[in-house]
């Protein structure tokens, strides 16, 4: 039986790559997309998610719109220099035919988890506000979810949205602190590993040669994203963020993990930094926090081969 997953997403170029990787993986059953601000505003994230389902030929997969702002502050705004004004590499697609469902993202997440106890894997690859809202509305989802695999955070390495913090967590640190503190099985696939997964120009160029609508769409949207990495990080190619979370769900043996309690800094210039408490000493602010499964090493070549093979299938 394929694993049922819900992807909570802010598409986003790498979100698009991750969603298509999941759709093309027969071991996964994508039962819905829920949307969130981050790379774009939430409404555009929903429009893009509906468009992506139409491009992929899976318009029956529901898209539920999430909240528009973080728990305690207004959204700081999208990142067109990374993902394009349209979140899709500035290719400016026509409007989709369909639309999101009426249910909100937190309602959809709760309904699906509670009606399929133990079966649903949540894969948030954007800020964690919808997941925190779902926890507040129905705390029993912690007992009924299969697991939560998050792209976000940085345990032992610098940030990307600031010197301290990774973008998804930085966009709503209060939500992230709630999600990492809830009593459920959480894996963090953060910059500790995603900055080690490097898709080189030849991999990206290879998408152009794959003869299906999903790979062709990726080939169209990736140049803008690639330019961002090349100009900002002085590198060729891209880091693989959101697809690394999908890869973890498919095959956790790609990663080495450590189990640490985590807190998220919510103040000052380190706002959004995920801090693990390492070692045996008891530290009051980390006391009674659950252990988070933190990815610290990754087999990058095998992960990239897996994603490209799925796209070719
Ligand atoms: C994360 O931030 C977003 O720009 C990407 O889609 C990814 O989810 C990486 O820090
Ligand atoms: Ca994302």
């Amino acid at each position: 039986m394929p694993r049922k997953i819900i992807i909570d997403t802010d598409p986003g170029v790498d979100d698009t790559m991750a969603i298509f990787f999941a759709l093309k993986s027969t071991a996964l059953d994508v039962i819905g997309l829920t949307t969130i601000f981050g790379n774009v505003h939430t409404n555009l994230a929903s429009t893009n998610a509906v468009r992506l389902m139409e491009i992929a030929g899976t318009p029956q997969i529901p898209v539920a719109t999430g909240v528009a702002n973080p728990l305690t502050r207004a959204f700081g705004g999208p990142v067109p220099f990374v993902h394009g004004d349209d979140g899709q590499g500035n290719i400016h697609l026509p409007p989709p035919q369909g639309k999101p469902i009426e249910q909100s993202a937190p309602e959809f997440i709760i309904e699906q988890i509670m009606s399929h106890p133990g079966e649903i894997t949540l894969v948030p690859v954007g800020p964690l506000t919808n997941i925190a809202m779902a926890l507040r509305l129905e705390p029993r989802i912690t007992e009924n979810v299969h697991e939560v695999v998050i792209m976000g955070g940085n345990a032992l390495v610098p940030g990307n949205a600031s010197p301290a913090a990774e973008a998804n967590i930085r966009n709503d640190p209060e939500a992230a602190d709630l999600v990492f503190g809830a009593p459920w099985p959480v894996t963090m696939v953060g910059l500790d590993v995603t900055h080690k997964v490097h898709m080189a120009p030849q991999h990206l160029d290879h998408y152009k040669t794959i003869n299906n609508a999903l790979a062709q769409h990726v080939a169209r949207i990736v140049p803008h994203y690639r330019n961002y990495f090349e100009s900002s990080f002085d590198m060729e190619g891209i880091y693989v963020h959101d697809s690394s979370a999908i890869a973890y769900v498919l095959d956790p043996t790609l990663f080495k993990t450590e189990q640490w309690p985590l807190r998220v800094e919510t103040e000052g210039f380190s706002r959004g930094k995920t801090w693990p408490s390492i070692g045996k000493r008891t530290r009051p602010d980390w006391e009674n926090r659950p252990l988070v499964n933190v990815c610290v090493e990754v087999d990058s070549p095998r992960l990239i081969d897996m994603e490209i093979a799925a796209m070719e299938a």
Side-chain angles (χ1 to χ4, degrees):
M1 278 283 281
R3 292 257 305 265
K4 289 184 173 53
I5 70 168
I6 297 173
I7 306 177
D8 188 76
T9 173
D10 56 337
V13 174
D14 66 318
D15 300 73
T16 302
M17 294 173 83
I19 291 164
F20 285 176
F21 178 21
L23 286 177
K24 293 284 282 171
S25 297
T26 50
L28 300 180
D29 175 11
V30 181
I31 64 160
L33 301 180
T34 54
T35 65
I36 191 68
F37 59 85
N39 296 326
V40 291
H41 286 283
T42 302
N43 281 341
L44 180 53
S46 278
T47 304
N48 283 344
V50 174
R51 281 186 173 115
L52 294 175
M53 292 306 93
E54 292 176 1
I55 290 167
T58 53
Q60 75 285 0
I61 295 179
V63 172
T65 300
V67 295
N69 285 291
L71 293 183
T72 63
R73 300 187 182 187
F75 171 40
V79 284
F81 54 97
V82 185
H83 295 271
D85 298 325
D86 58 355
Q88 295 287 289
N90 283 336
I91 63 165
H92 296 291
L93 291 162
Q97 312 263 299
K99 54 183 182 25
I101 60 175
E102 293 295 320
Q103 231 175 0
S104 73
E107 288 167 348
F108 178 80
I109 288 167
I110 292 167
E111 185 201 75
Q112 292 302 316
I113 293 176
M114 296 308 284
S115 62
H116 300 93
E119 285 183 40
I120 309 283
T121 296
L122 272 183
V123 189
V125 295
L128 292 167
T129 322
N130 287 332
I131 316 302
M133 293 288 288
L135 274 172
R136 281 182 171 175
L137 289 167
E138 179 49 276
R140 290 177 305 164
I141 61 173
T142 57
E143 297 147 32
N144 289 283
V145 78
H146 179 70
E147 66 172 325
V148 186
V149 178
I150 293 169
M151 191 282 129
N154 53 311
L156 306 176
V157 300
N160 58 356
S162 78
E166 183 279 329
N168 290 339
I169 306 301
R170 171 104 178 155
N171 263 320
D172 196 345
E174 285 81 5
D177 198 51
L178 278 174
V179 172
F180 287 122
W184 55 0
V186 176
T187 292
M188 178 174 120
V189 184
L191 302 182
D192 301 81
V193 285
T194 66
H195 274 182
K196 293 176 185 149
V197 186
H198 176 222
M199 233 184 221
Q202 75 265 21
H203 298 124
L204 296 171
D205 291 342
H206 184 66
Y207 274 83
K208 289 185 211 151
T209 69
I210 304 175
N211 189 19
N212 64 54
L214 297 82
Q216 289 299 311
H217 181 71
V218 171
R220 284 184 72 197
I221 66 174
V222 91
H224 179 89
Y225 191 59
R226 180 171 159 179
N227 283 342
Y228 159 73
F229 280 95
E230 294 182 353
S231 57
S232 302
F233 292 89
D234 205 17
M235 64 186 272
E236 294 198 328
I238 65 170
Y239 292 133
V240 176
H241 294 302
D242 293 350
S243 289
S244 292
I246 302 297
Y248 180 89
V249 177
L250 285 166
D251 186 357
T253 70
L254 287 162
F255 298 86
K256 176 174 179 273
T257 62
E258 300 278 356
Q259 288 69 49
W260 295 317
L262 273 188
R263 293 304 308 265
V264 182
E265 176 59 78
T266 56
E267 303 292 337
F269 58 69
S270 295
R271 185 170 157 78
K273 166 77 177 101
T274 47
W275 280 118
S277 177
I278 300 173
K280 293 194 176 145
R281 268 183 65 191
T282 305
R283 295 179 168 97
D285 289 327
W286 281 258
E287 225 173 353
N288 304 320
R289 297 276 295 189
L291 297 177
V292 173
N293 190 41
V294 180
C295 293
V296 292
E297 293 293 342
V298 57
D299 185 342
S300 168
R302 192 155 74 84
L303 190 158
I304 287 167
D305 285 352
M306 188 188 279
E307 178 161 8
I308 289 177
M311 295 306 296
E312 281 173 330

